[in-house]
Amino acid sequence: MTEISRRAIIAGGAMAASPALAQSSGPAPLPPRRGAKGADILGPKNPARAAEEPFTLAPPATDHGTMPNLKWSFSDSHMRLEEGGWARQTTVRELPVSKAMAGVNMRLQAGAVREMHWHKEAEWAYMIKGKARITAVDQDGRTFADDVGEGDLWYFPGGIPHSIQGLAADGIDGCEFLLVFDDGGFSEDSTFLLTDWLAHTPKDVLAKNFGLPESAFANIPETELYIFPGPQPGPLSADLTGGAGEIPKTFSHRMLAQEPIRTKGGRVRITDSTVFPASVTIAAALVEVEPGGMRELHWHPNGDEWQYYLSGTGRMTVFGSESKARTFDYQAGDVGYVPYAMGHYIENTGDTTLTVLEMFKSPRYADISLTQWLALTPHPLVQAHTRMDPKLVEALRAAKAPVVPG
Ligand code: MN
Ligand code: MN
């Protein structure tokens, strides 16, 4: 292909192939120009990547300064392939700014088990598709088992042992889910696995510990199982083992059963420890923004924000003080990050609903709305800063509208 025909495809074809980008007010992916500024690229190009990142290639004039990278696609994460499923992670190693939280995307086919394990970090989860059976036992021998489906959450405190198994239900072969851990340094490859410990304990010690003959351990796996095919479990009632009773605060929660906050531009569900008491270190919001709408200008007074884009396409600009601002484009499957206290907003750049999960390492969800702050501050003071028409300052809404229409 000649360079000229390649560029013609990039300029026309790539845009036409992406309705989301064609609809947005952003620049064409190539060449990198904004008005009189910029020039074409003479060297190597990555047109597919450039089309995903139009505002990185040709940033708006309001972007300025050096901001850390705030975007990672799970498509760039290493896939750990196992019989019955896979796992990939986005941690501080992939996205260096994400020190507070890390994420794992995992798939378990029906019957496949994420083996019995524990870890130092607390585990928060959102079921993306399909169903799973989850189990746990706490320090007092109290037990937990539940079947979770799309839009359900679970939360396992640090150190609490648990398991996850894919279920066949509604014609779906198992499940896929997102895990968020309350430490960016988490690694899915360094959890404490049942089989790993057994394989590294002498069999006479196992016999003494369990009060069983050594022969009982003749067939224990020599290496960890991690994810492996297992038998479909029976009804949930059969897996409720009793023990010392149920755990006092359930480890699962039906997020989609919550009535959302509805605004003209979309919907928001907030799940923190006030409605999901077990989840003491992770608070979450599920934000839906309709086409043309926007998650309003805001920031969070209580920590970093770890985002997962579930559907649609969005564009987030983050304001980092010292005249710094940078814009990133996101699509379903991407991770976004907002460092503590930085101002930000997210526009829906497509023609379908933009759905974003926002997680915070905090027992409570909290945000400060820029509009509400201005509306509730003495108006002459606001007018002196903004030089707005006083009548328009009076018109600012005092109520938060987490999602505003276009
Ligand atoms: Mn786990
Ligand atoms: Mn936010």
Side-chain angles (χ1 to χ4, degrees):
M1 191 185 288
T2 66
E3 178 58 21
I4 289 171
S5 64
R6 189 193 298 274
R7 283 186 53 191
I9 287 169
I10 293 160
M15 284 297 285
S18 173
L21 292 173
Q23 274 218 347
S24 74
S25 55
L30 285 171
R33 281 191 195 284
R34 188 182 62 241
K37 295 187 176 180
D40 58 346
I41 297 173
L42 298 179
K45 295 175 257 301
N46 185 336
R49 206 56 176 236
E52 286 180 9
E53 319 272 358
F55 272 48
T56 291
L57 190 80
T62 42
D63 277 14
H64 182 262
T66 303
M67 287 280 281
N69 177 46
L70 302 175
K71 175 184 176 176
W72 182 266
S73 169
F74 266 109
S75 296
D76 288 329
S77 293
H78 165 75
M79 266 285 190
R80 178 171 178 175
L81 303 179
E82 299 287 344
E83 198 182 342
W86 49 254
R88 51 184 172 178
Q89 56 186 346
T90 298
T91 70
V92 73
R93 293 171 289 281
E94 287 77 22
L95 183 59
V97 73
S98 64
K99 292 190 175 76
M101 287 162 282
V104 169
N105 181 204
M106 190 178 292
R107 170 87 168 92
L108 297 174
Q109 289 182 298
V113 183
R114 169 65 174 92
E115 85 157 278
M116 295 163 68
H117 70 282
W118 73 97
H119 31 75
K120 291 179 280 186
E121 304 79 1
E123 169 179 320
W124 179 98
Y126 180 91
M127 182 58 78
I128 297 169
K129 200 139 197 96
K131 269 194 147 178
R133 168 87 38 98
I134 53 176
T135 75
V137 175
D138 80 358
Q139 64 275 18
D140 296 318
R142 296 175 295 193
T143 59
F144 166 82
D146 195 15
D147 288 348
V148 284
E150 187 171 333
D152 290 345
L153 311 182
W154 70 78
Y155 180 91
F156 295 129
I160 293 293
H162 53 278
S163 69
I164 311 163
Q165 185 172 23
L167 299 176
D170 311 318
I172 301 170
D173 178 22
C175 61
E176 184 179 330
F177 48 88
L178 174 78
L179 303 172
V180 175
F181 298 88
D182 59 1
D183 185 337
F186 174 83
S187 173
E188 182 60 18
D189 297 324
S190 54
T191 62
F192 296 89
L193 304 178
L194 170 62
T195 55
D196 196 23
W197 198 11
L198 294 180
H200 293 93
T201 306
K203 290 201 171 53
D204 64 307
V205 172
L206 293 177
K208 195 191 299 181
N209 180 71
F210 292 110
L212 294 170
E214 264 189 62
S215 59
F217 307 101
N219 299 318
I220 59 169
E222 288 176 8
T223 56
E224 66 181 44
L225 295 175
Y226 184 68
I227 290 174
F228 66 101
Q232 270 285 312
L236 179 61
S237 55
D239 275 6
L240 299 172
T241 55
E246 282 184 38
I247 52 155
K249 293 174 184 171
T250 182
F251 290 151
S252 59
H253 178 81
R254 315 282 181 231
M255 191 181 202
L256 293 186
Q258 285 181 229
E259 189 55 34
I261 300 161
R262 292 175 194 278
T263 68
K264 276 183 186 154
R267 293 158 298 284
V268 179
R269 287 175 174 84
I270 294 168
T271 304
D272 63 16
S273 60
T274 59
V275 292
F276 184 16
S279 187
V280 289
T281 64
I282 298 286
L286 178 64
V287 178
E288 295 169 88
V289 184
E290 294 305 338
M294 184 176 83
R295 176 84 174 87
E296 70 169 343
L297 275 71
H298 70 282
W299 71 95
H300 304 275
N302 59 342
D304 296 3
E305 172 174 339
W306 199 98
Q307 302 171 339
Y308 181 72
Y309 288 77
L310 274 167
S311 75
T313 55
R315 175 173 298 147
M316 176 166 72
T317 301
V318 178
F319 165 61
S321 80
E322 294 181 305
S323 302
K324 289 180 291 187
R326 187 170 163 192
T327 303
F328 297 84
D329 292 280
Y330 300 89
Q331 57 187 285
D334 287 346
V335 173
Y337 201 85
V338 185
Y340 172 45
M342 289 193 183
H344 53 286
Y345 58 92
I346 311 171
E347 297 171 278
N348 183 339
T349 51
D351 53 9
T352 59
T353 304
L354 170 69
T355 311
V356 190
L357 274 168
E358 307 172 349
M359 274 65 70
F360 306 86
K361 185 176 174 177
S362 172
R364 295 289 296 271
Y365 176 87
D367 67 26
I368 306 285
S369 156
L370 180 63
T371 305
Q372 186 176 52
W373 180 38
L374 298 189
L376 300 181
T377 297
H379 288 181
L381 190 58
V382 174
Q383 203 276 331
H385 285 77
T386 61
R387 299 171 193 167
M388 283 167 64
D389 182 327
K391 285 198 200 73
L392 297 180
V393 175
E394 291 300 321
L396 288 171
R397 56 182 157 72
K400 282 185 193 177
V403 183
V404 294

